[in-house]
Amino acid sequence: MHGSVILLGPPGAGKGTQATRLSEVSGRVILSTGDLLRAAVANDTELGRAAKGFMDAGELVPDNLILGLIGAHLATLDPNQGILFDGFPRTIPQAEALTTLCQIEMVLCIEVIDDAIVERIVGRRMDPQTGEIYHLVHKPAPPSVTDRLIQRRDDTEETVRTRLSTYHEQTAPLVDYFSSLGLLRCVDGGQDIDQVHADLITAMTDE
Ligand code: ADP
């Protein structure tokens, strides 16, 4: 059974950025359901066609589709490979299913308040050539790449507000769920990226 670490937190908490850095230092492979779903949409697969409407509306993709996606990916990995989940699980049924698929070592919760999230996400832009994430105010792109920056289809203010209420209704209950299993470790995601990374490393290595 795979050992796994889960990154939990609202949209825009910095899970993707931190997952990349944690994967580099820990050797764990990242499994991001958001990235897998966006690839499915871009490739116009059956899953992508089924998921697109939910994603554009800021709602969750149904559990059965997500669990099929996760199961298919886990099956391609060496069982000894450690995993870092980003954006999964997002509901109690997904979390319960995961306990039968992986050994959950810990859950790292990145906490950020709603107003900060809206500001972060609405200004978020990506360079499609490098995958680098910028922010119009906090991390402006170099002039040579500004013309090619793109915005995620679901990064509008209206959709962000829906994603946040979806998070509070369906995903936030996982905080208590994992806390009662003794697996939860929380860090303040309102700090700068390096400090959040440092706190995550401390949380991961604490006995
Ligand atoms: P963010 O965390 O910034 O909202 P993600 O890239 O993790 O973005 O997810 C984008 C969208 O993909 C979500 O709004 C949702 O529609 C869908 N999605 C991703 N992961 C899941 C999941 N585990 N369960 C249900 N839907 C998901």
Side-chain angles (χ1 to χ4, degrees), residues 167-188:
Y167 175 80
H168 290 299
E169 281 162 29
Q170 300 189 59
T171 308
L174 295 182
V175 171
D176 283 344
Y177 175 81
F178 287 123
S179 172
S180 68
L181 295 177
L183 293 170
L184 196 72
R185 302 177 183 195
C186 293
V187 305
D188 173 6

Side-chain angles (χ1 to χ4, degrees), residues 11-12 15 33-34 37-38 54-55 59-61 66 87-88 90 94 124 152 154 163:
K15 299 187 297 291
T33 41
L37 289 169
R38 277 186 289 279
F54 296 104
M55 296 171 72
E59 292 164 12
L60 293 186
V61 173
I66 297 293
F88 173 86
R90 257 178 156 93
Q94 289 180 19
R124 178 158 79 174
R152 244 171 68 174
D154 59 349
R163 281 155 65 200

Side-chain angles (χ1 to χ4, degrees), residues 22-184:
L22 290 179
S23 148
E24 283 162 9
V25 295
S26 67
R28 290 172 186 277
V29 57
I30 300 170
L31 236 164
S32 158
T33 41
D35 286 349
L36 293 173
L37 289 169
R38 277 186 289 279
V41 171
N43 294 325
D44 198 27
T45 66
E46 201 181 322
L47 170 68
R49 286 192 293 274
K52 186 171 181 292
F54 296 104
M55 296 171 72
D56 287 348
E59 292 164 12
L60 293 186
V61 173
D63 289 337
N64 61 332
L65 296 181
I66 297 293
L67 291 171
L69 177 70
I70 287 287
H73 272 266
L74 287 179
T76 66
L77 298 174
D78 177 340
N80 295 316
Q81 172 65 58
I83 299 175
L84 189 56
F85 284 107
D86 166 9
F88 173 86
R90 257 178 156 93
T91 63
I92 296 278
Q94 289 180 19
E96 287 173 346
L98 183 62
T99 60
T100 68
L101 297 170
C102 278
Q103 189 227 334
I104 303 172
E105 292 161 70
M106 69 186 77
V107 178
L108 300 171
C109 176
I110 307 181
E111 301 174 307
V112 182
I113 57 163
D114 286 9
D115 286 347
I117 286 168
V118 173
E119 201 265 351
R120 276 188 192 186
I121 292 192
V122 172
R124 178 158 79 174
R125 298 290 183 278
M126 185 180 74
D127 177 351
Q129 284 186 19
T130 61
E132 184 74 28
I133 309 283
Y134 296 99
H135 189 279
L136 294 178
V137 178
H138 306 301
K139 190 182 170 192
S144 57
V145 309
T146 44
D147 285 350
R148 64 172 188 242
L149 293 181
I150 55 169
Q151 184 173 23
R152 244 171 68 174
R153 308 166 52 88
D154 59 349
D155 276 356
T156 62
E157 174 149 3
E158 192 195 350
T159 309
V160 171
R161 299 247 177 233
T162 310
R163 281 155 65 200
L164 274 171
S165 36
T166 303
Y167 175 80
H168 290 299
E169 281 162 29
Q170 300 189 59
T171 308
L174 295 182
V175 171
D176 283 344
Y177 175 81
F178 287 123
S179 172
S180 68
L181 295 177
L183 293 170
L184 196 72

